[in-house]
Amino acid sequence: MIEFSARKKLLSNSGEFTLSLDISIPEGELVAFFGASGTGKTTSLRMIAGLTTPDCGYLQVNGNVWLDSAKKVQLPVNQRPVGFVFQNYALFPNMTVRENILFAQKEKKEKEVQTLLEVFGLEVLQHRKPSLLSGGQQQRVALARAIARKPQLLLLDEPLSALDMETRTSIQNELRMINREWGITTILVSHDISEIFRLCSRVYSFNGNTVEDKGAPANLFNSRLSGKVQFVGEVLECVQEDIVRILTLVVGNTPVKVVVPATEGDYAPGDKVLIASKAFNPIIRKL
Amino acid sequence: MFDILTGAPLQLTLKVSAISVLLQFLVGIPMGLFIAGRSSPLRRIVDILTTLPMIFPPMALGFFLLLLLGKNGLFGAFLLQVFGLRMIFTFWGILFAAFIVGLPFMVKSVQAARRQMDETIVEAAATLGKSPMTILLRVILPNIRGGVITGLLLAFGRSLGEVGISLILGGNIIGRTETLSLAIYNAVFDGDFQLAARLSILLSLLAIAVILLLNGTHYRSFFLNVIHQSRLHMKRFKKS
């Protein structure tokens, strides 16, 4: 079990605010930090890793106290057994794929490196430098490197945001496999609702100042609807036509057009919506 | 014709250049890394002090150093009493002049290279449990290598051509503190243009040799990497 509470003054587009969180994460679960940009998701991940110091806080991981501001306890970042996958991958440019993974190990174990290279499909690329790899390949190396550290906690900061749909699905499967096979508690920062539905057992919603434990992803995203068929989409365009509005949405990789009454809420490009069907009529709800 | 190759100026220049480049390497890297960190009053002071020899007129700087390092100067008296070291009109004065004029180029190059480096790779190494020393040796230094080599080249070039401070601190004593640059100055002053030309060619060749040597080590690893990658591709191609 991970007990984490912290207060930290942050600066967002709308001004200064104090992030206040008090959460418990069950051991071995894959959970998501979800919320708009600038609400403190990455900062929270960095505070857990020890890369950012909270104004005050408490962090206990599997019975070990990593941070206790009241008792002035703060375990240095290099003593916290975490695997951190950065948004920009942060691979060492001077090392090959194999050397990147070897570097993460406490004691050099070539056999384990070989296993990781095989699991992540990196065998052929093992002697290449990161600059010669594609985004998806770099992401796999970053994950393999984080696992090689044998972490108690895997922290993933929007790791799939820059990848295409196919690569994203493939790495999502690998993430699920890692969580299942190795049982490492994993925190995933993500904006992608489908990704959270597919991977996570629990969602923590960041709402500006506070963080709420919403339980299963379904509780957060579809609590207000009873439609049986439903998708999460994003508004690309909203055109007013007399008494109706024509919304162009993208669901997965497919653009669709949906007609909604003009009186039904305001939509802007970029809005996330839930599309459901009830008695053959499409229902759109802004998320 | 070849008498200049065995002369004292060449020997002194080679000795001073080699030691000053080594010292600039050892001092410049930690200083460059230090001032590349988060801004603080101490860092700003060190930054200004290291930049001074770069922009300060050499003659004026030489004069101030003469006052400071002379046997009655603040540091000169200390060095004489504690280490028995005389700086003025000796080899040590020449070495100090070569070191101090080249150091800012080394420090600034290291500072720029460190600031351009992606900070997340340092953070990534820390999350992998590595100590600050391991991060320095395995991550930071290999990734600022280009900046270090550029800094060494610039520092070497500046030290090699140093005249103003060497003239004041070294005294331009023939056979003792006369470097190649000062020997050219002396030859021109004596009207021996042929000797000045030969010494100038020798000094230029020396500079080119060091540039090639340093650039060679920089690009050698690149070419070795390309050869290694090509061999791997060939092996895979043969297998398939």
Coordinates of all heavy atoms in Angstrom, one line a residue, chain A residues 46 49 51 77-78 80 82 84 86 88 90-95 103-105 124 127-129 132 145 149, chain B residues 118 120-132 134-135 138-139 142-143 225 228-229 232-233 236:
Chain A
R46 N 6.6 13.3 -9.7 CA 8.0 13.8 -9.3 C 8.2 13.8 -7.8 O 9.3 13.5 -7.4 CB 8.3 15.1 -10.0 CG 8.4 15.1 -11.5 CD 8.6 16.5 -12.1 NE 9.8 17.1 -11.6 CZ 11.0 16.9 -12.2 NH1 11.1 16.2 -13.2 NH2 12.1 17.5 -11.7
A49 N 8.8 10.3 -6.7 CA 10.1 9.9 -7.1 C 11.2 10.6 -6.3 O 12.4 10.1 -6.3 CB 10.3 10.1 -8.6
L51 N 12.1 13.8 -7.1 CA 12.7 14.8 -8.0 C 12.2 16.2 -7.6 O 12.8 17.2 -8.0 CB 12.3 14.4 -9.4 CG 12.9 13.1 -10.0 CD1 12.3 12.8 -11.4 CD2 14.4 13.3 -10.2
V77 N 16.5 10.8 -4.0 CA 15.9 10.2 -5.2 C 16.6 8.9 -5.6 O 16.0 7.9 -5.9 CB 15.9 11.2 -6.4 CG1 17.2 11.8 -6.6 CG2 15.3 10.6 -7.6
N78 N 17.9 8.9 -5.4 CA 18.7 7.6 -5.9 C 18.5 6.5 -4.9 O 19.0 5.4 -5.1 CB 20.1 8.0 -6.2 CG 20.9 8.5 -5.0 OD1 20.3 8.8 -3.9 ND2 22.2 8.6 -5.1
R80 N 15.3 5.8 -3.7 CA 14.0 5.3 -3.8 C 13.8 4.3 -4.9 O 14.2 4.6 -6.1 CB 13.0 6.5 -4.1 CG 13.1 7.5 -3.0 CD 12.1 8.7 -3.2 NE 12.3 9.7 -2.3 CZ 11.4 10.6 -2.0 NH1 10.2 10.7 -2.6 NH2 11.6 11.6 -1.1
V82 N 12.3 3.3 -7.5 CA 11.3 3.6 -8.5 C 11.8 3.5 -9.9 O 13.0 3.6 -10.1 CB 10.7 5.1 -8.3 CG1 10.0 5.3 -7.0 CG2 11.8 6.1 -8.5
F84 N 11.1 5.3 -13.4 CA 10.4 6.5 -13.9 C 10.6 6.6 -15.4 O 11.7 6.6 -15.9 CB 11.1 7.8 -13.3 CG 10.2 9.0 -13.3 CD1 9.7 9.6 -12.1 CD2 9.8 9.6 -14.5 CE1 8.9 10.7 -12.1 CE2 9.0 10.7 -14.5 CZ 8.5 11.3 -13.3
F86 N 10.0 8.9 -18.4 CA 9.7 10.3 -18.7 C 9.0 10.5 -20.0 O 9.1 9.6 -20.9 CB 11.0 11.1 -18.8 CG 11.7 11.2 -17.4 CD1 12.5 10.2 -17.0 CD2 11.6 12.3 -16.6 CE1 13.2 10.3 -15.7 CE2 12.2 12.4 -15.4 CZ 13.0 11.4 -15.0
N88 N 9.7 12.4 -22.4 CA 10.6 12.5 -23.5 C 11.6 11.3 -23.5 O 12.6 11.4 -24.2 CB 11.3 13.8 -23.5 CG 12.3 13.9 -22.4 OD1 12.2 13.1 -21.4 ND2 13.2 14.9 -22.4
A90 N 14.0 10.2 -22.1 CA 15.3 10.5 -21.3 C 16.3 9.3 -21.3 O 16.8 8.9 -20.3 CB 14.9 10.8 -19.8
L91 N 16.5 8.8 -22.6 CA 17.5 7.7 -22.7 C 18.9 8.4 -22.8 O 19.0 9.5 -23.2 CB 17.2 6.9 -24.0 CG 15.9 6.2 -24.1 CD1 15.7 5.6 -25.4 CD2 15.8 5.2 -22.9
F92 N 19.9 7.6 -22.4 CA 21.2 8.2 -22.4 C 21.8 8.2 -23.8 O 22.0 7.1 -24.3 CB 22.1 7.4 -21.4 CG 21.6 7.4 -20.0 CD1 21.3 6.1 -19.4 CD2 21.3 8.5 -19.3 CE1 20.7 6.1 -18.2 CE2 20.7 8.5 -18.0 CZ 20.4 7.2 -17.5
P93 N 22.0 9.3 -24.4 CA 22.4 9.3 -25.8 C 23.8 8.7 -26.1 O 24.1 8.2 -27.2 CB 22.5 10.8 -26.2 CG 21.9 11.6 -25.0 CD 22.0 10.7 -23.8
N94 N 24.6 8.7 -25.0 CA 26.0 8.1 -25.2 C 26.0 6.6 -25.1 O 27.1 6.0 -25.2 CB 26.9 8.8 -24.2 CG 26.5 8.6 -22.7 OD1 25.3 8.8 -22.4 ND2 27.3 8.1 -21.9
M95 N 24.9 6.0 -24.7 CA 24.9 4.5 -24.5 C 24.0 3.9 -25.6 O 23.0 4.4 -26.0 CB 24.4 4.2 -23.1 CG 25.2 4.8 -22.0 SD 24.5 4.3 -20.4 CE 25.2 5.5 -19.3
F103 N 22.9 -0.2 -17.5 CA 23.2 0.9 -16.6 C 22.2 0.9 -15.4 O 22.5 1.3 -14.3 CB 23.2 2.2 -17.3 CG 23.6 3.4 -16.5 CD1 24.9 3.6 -16.1 CD2 22.7 4.4 -16.1 CE1 25.3 4.7 -15.3 CE2 23.0 5.5 -15.4 CZ 24.4 5.6 -15.0
A104 N 21.0 0.5 -15.7 CA 19.9 0.6 -14.7 C 20.0 -0.5 -13.6 O 19.5 -0.4 -12.5 CB 18.6 0.4 -15.4
Q105 N 20.8 -1.6 -13.9 CA 20.9 -2.7 -13.0 C 21.9 -2.3 -11.8 O 22.9 -1.7 -12.0 CB 21.5 -3.9 -13.7 CG 20.5 -4.5 -14.6 CD 21.0 -5.8 -15.2 OE1 22.1 -5.9 -15.7 NE2 20.1 -6.8 -15.2
V124 N 17.2 -7.0 -31.8 CA 17.8 -6.6 -33.0 C 18.4 -5.2 -32.9 O 19.4 -4.9 -33.5 CB 16.8 -6.6 -34.2 CG1 17.5 -6.3 -35.5 CG2 16.1 -8.0 -34.3
H127 N 22.3 -2.9 -30.1 CA 23.6 -2.2 -30.2 C 23.4 -0.8 -30.9 O 24.4 -0.1 -31.2 CB 24.6 -3.0 -31.1 CG 24.9 -4.3 -30.4 ND1 25.5 -4.4 -29.2 CD2 24.6 -5.6 -30.8 CE1 25.7 -5.7 -28.9 NE2 25.1 -6.4 -29.8
R128 N 22.2 -0.4 -31.0 CA 22.0 1.0 -31.6 C 21.9 2.0 -30.5 O 21.5 1.8 -29.4 CB 20.6 1.0 -32.3 CG 20.7 0.2 -33.6 CD 19.7 0.8 -34.6 NE 19.8 0.1 -35.9 CZ 19.0 0.3 -36.9 NH1 18.0 1.1 -36.7 NH2 19.1 -0.3 -38.0
K129 N 22.3 3.2 -30.9 CA 22.2 4.4 -30.0 C 20.7 4.9 -30.1 O 20.1 4.8 -31.1 CB 23.1 5.5 -30.4 CG 24.6 5.2 -30.2 CD 25.0 5.5 -28.8 CE 26.5 5.1 -28.5 NZ 27.5 5.9 -29.1
L132 N 19.0 6.7 -33.1 CA 18.7 5.9 -34.3 C 17.4 5.1 -34.2 O 17.0 4.4 -35.1 CB 19.8 5.0 -34.7 CG 21.2 5.6 -35.0 CD1 22.3 4.6 -35.0 CD2 21.1 6.4 -36.2
R145 N 14.3 -0.3 -19.4 CA 15.3 0.3 -18.4 C 14.7 0.5 -17.0 O 15.4 0.2 -16.0 CB 15.8 1.6 -19.0 CG 17.0 2.2 -18.2 CD 17.4 3.5 -18.8 NE 16.5 4.6 -18.6 CZ 16.6 5.8 -19.0 NH1 17.7 6.2 -19.6 NH2 15.7 6.7 -18.8
R149 N 15.7 -1.9 -13.3 CA 16.0 -1.3 -11.9 C 15.4 -2.1 -10.8 O 15.7 -1.9 -9.7 CB 15.5 0.2 -11.9 CG 15.3 0.8 -10.6 CD 16.4 1.7 -10.3 NE 16.2 2.6 -9.2 CZ 16.7 2.4 -8.0 NH1 17.4 1.3 -7.7 NH2 16.5 3.3 -7.0
Chain B
D118 N 20.1 17.8 -21.9 CA 18.7 17.6 -21.4 C 18.8 17.2 -20.0 O 19.4 16.2 -19.6 CB 18.1 16.4 -22.3 CG 16.7 16.0 -21.8 OD1 16.2 16.7 -21.0 OD2 16.3 15.0 -22.3
T120 N 16.6 16.0 -18.0 CA 15.8 14.8 -17.6 C 16.8 13.5 -17.7 O 16.5 12.6 -17.0 CB 14.6 14.5 -18.5 OG1 15.0 14.5 -19.9 CG2 13.5 15.5 -18.2
I121 N 17.8 13.6 -18.5 CA 18.7 12.4 -18.5 C 19.5 12.3 -17.1 O 19.8 11.2 -16.7 CB 19.6 12.2 -19.7 CG1 20.7 13.3 -19.8 CG2 18.8 12.1 -21.0 CD1 21.7 13.0 -20.8
V122 N 19.7 13.4 -16.5 CA 20.4 13.4 -15.2 C 19.4 12.9 -14.2 O 19.7 12.1 -13.3 CB 20.9 14.8 -14.9 CG1 21.5 14.9 -13.5 CG2 21.9 15.3 -15.9
E123 N 18.1 13.4 -14.3 CA 17.1 12.9 -13.4 C 16.8 11.4 -13.5 O 16.6 10.7 -12.6 CB 15.8 13.7 -13.6 CG 15.9 15.2 -13.2 CD 14.6 16.0 -13.4 OE1 13.8 15.5 -14.1 OE2 14.5 17.0 -12.7
A124 N 16.9 11.0 -14.8 CA 16.6 9.6 -15.1 C 17.7 8.7 -14.4 O 17.4 7.7 -13.8 CB 16.6 9.3 -16.6
A125 N 18.9 9.2 -14.5 CA 20.0 8.4 -13.9 C 19.9 8.4 -12.4 O 20.1 7.3 -11.7 CB 21.4 9.1 -14.2
A126 N 19.4 9.5 -11.8 CA 19.2 9.5 -10.3 C 18.0 8.5 -9.9 O 18.2 7.8 -8.9 CB 18.8 10.9 -9.9
T127 N 17.0 8.5 -10.7 CA 15.9 7.5 -10.4 C 16.3 6.1 -10.6 O 15.7 5.2 -10.1 CB 14.6 7.8 -11.3 OG1 14.9 7.5 -12.6 CG2 14.0 9.2 -11.1
L128 N 17.4 5.9 -11.3 CA 17.9 4.5 -11.5 C 18.9 4.2 -10.4 O 19.6 3.2 -10.4 CB 18.6 4.4 -12.8 CG 17.7 4.5 -14.1 CD1 18.5 4.5 -15.4 CD2 16.7 3.4 -14.1
G129 N 19.0 5.0 -9.3 CA 19.7 4.7 -8.1 C 21.2 5.1 -8.2 O 22.0 4.6 -7.4
K130 N 21.6 5.9 -9.2 CA 23.0 6.2 -9.4 C 23.4 7.4 -8.5 O 22.7 8.3 -8.3 CB 23.3 6.5 -10.8 CG 22.9 5.4 -11.8 CD 23.6 4.1 -11.5 CE 23.0 2.9 -12.2 NZ 23.4 1.6 -11.7
S131 N 24.7 7.3 -8.0 CA 25.2 8.3 -7.1 C 25.6 9.5 -8.0 O 25.8 9.4 -9.2 CB 26.5 7.8 -6.4 OG 27.5 7.6 -7.3
P132 N 25.7 10.7 -7.4 CA 26.1 11.9 -8.1 C 27.4 11.7 -8.9 O 27.6 12.2 -10.0 CB 26.3 13.0 -7.1 CG 25.3 12.6 -6.0 CD 25.4 11.1 -6.0
T134 N 28.7 8.8 -10.1 CA 28.5 7.9 -11.2 C 27.8 8.7 -12.3 O 28.1 8.6 -13.5 CB 27.6 6.7 -10.8 OG1 28.2 6.1 -9.7 CG2 27.4 5.7 -11.9
I135 N 26.8 9.6 -11.9 CA 26.1 10.4 -12.9 C 27.0 11.3 -13.6 O 27.0 11.5 -14.8 CB 24.9 11.2 -12.2 CG1 23.9 10.2 -11.7 CG2 24.3 12.1 -13.2 CD1 22.8 10.8 -10.8
R138 N 29.5 8.9 -15.8 CA 28.9 8.0 -16.9 C 27.8 8.8 -17.8 O 27.6 8.3 -18.9 CB 28.2 6.8 -16.3 CG 29.1 5.9 -15.5 CD 29.9 4.9 -16.4 NE 29.1 4.3 -17.4 CZ 28.4 3.1 -17.2 NH1 28.5 2.5 -16.0 NH2 27.8 2.6 -18.2
V139 N 27.3 9.8 -17.2 CA 26.2 10.5 -18.0 C 26.6 11.9 -18.4 O 26.6 12.3 -19.6 CB 24.9 10.5 -17.2 CG1 23.8 11.3 -17.9 CG2 24.4 9.1 -16.8
P142 N 30.3 12.3 -20.6 CA 30.2 11.8 -22.0 C 29.3 12.6 -22.8 O 29.5 12.7 -24.0 CB 29.7 10.4 -21.8 CG 29.9 10.0 -20.4 CD 29.9 11.2 -19.6
N143 N 28.3 13.3 -22.2 CA 27.4 14.0 -23.0 C 27.7 15.5 -23.2 O 27.1 16.2 -23.9 CB 25.9 13.9 -22.4 CG 25.4 12.6 -22.8 OD1 25.2 12.2 -23.9 ND2 25.1 11.8 -21.7
N225 N 32.0 4.2 -34.3 CA 30.7 3.9 -34.1 C 30.0 3.5 -35.4 O 29.3 2.5 -35.5 CB 29.9 5.0 -33.4 CG 28.5 4.6 -32.9 OD1 28.3 3.4 -32.5 ND2 27.6 5.5 -32.9
H228 N 31.3 0.2 -36.5 CA 30.7 -0.9 -35.7 C 29.3 -1.2 -36.1 O 28.9 -2.3 -36.3 CB 30.7 -0.4 -34.2 CG 30.0 -1.4 -33.3 ND1 30.6 -2.6 -33.0 CD2 28.9 -1.3 -32.5 CE1 29.8 -3.2 -32.2 NE2 28.8 -2.5 -31.8
Q229 N 28.5 -0.1 -36.4 CA 27.1 -0.3 -36.9 C 27.1 -1.0 -38.2 O 26.2 -1.9 -38.5 CB 26.4 1.1 -37.0 CG 26.2 1.8 -35.7 CD 25.3 1.1 -34.7 OE1 24.4 0.3 -35.1 NE2 25.4 1.4 -33.4
L232 N 27.7 -4.7 -37.9 CA 26.5 -5.3 -37.4 C 25.5 -5.6 -38.5 O 24.9 -6.6 -38.6 CB 25.9 -4.5 -36.2 CG 26.6 -4.5 -34.9 CD1 25.9 -3.6 -33.9 CD2 26.5 -5.9 -34.3
H233 N 25.3 -4.5 -39.3 CA 24.3 -4.6 -40.4 C 24.8 -5.7 -41.4 O 23.9 -6.5 -41.8 CB 24.2 -3.3 -41.2 CG 23.4 -2.3 -40.4 ND1 22.0 -2.6 -40.2 CD2 23.6 -1.1 -39.9 CE1 21.5 -1.5 -39.5 NE2 22.5 -0.6 -39.4
R236 N 24.0 -9.2 -39.9 CA 22.6 -9.5 -40.0 C 22.2 -9.8 -41.4 O 21.4 -10.7 -41.7 CB 21.8 -8.2 -39.5 CG 21.3 -8.4 -38.1 CD 20.6 -7.2 -37.6 NE 21.4 -6.6 -36.5 CZ 21.5 -5.3 -36.4 NH1 21.0 -4.5 -37.2 NH2 22.2 -4.9 -35.3

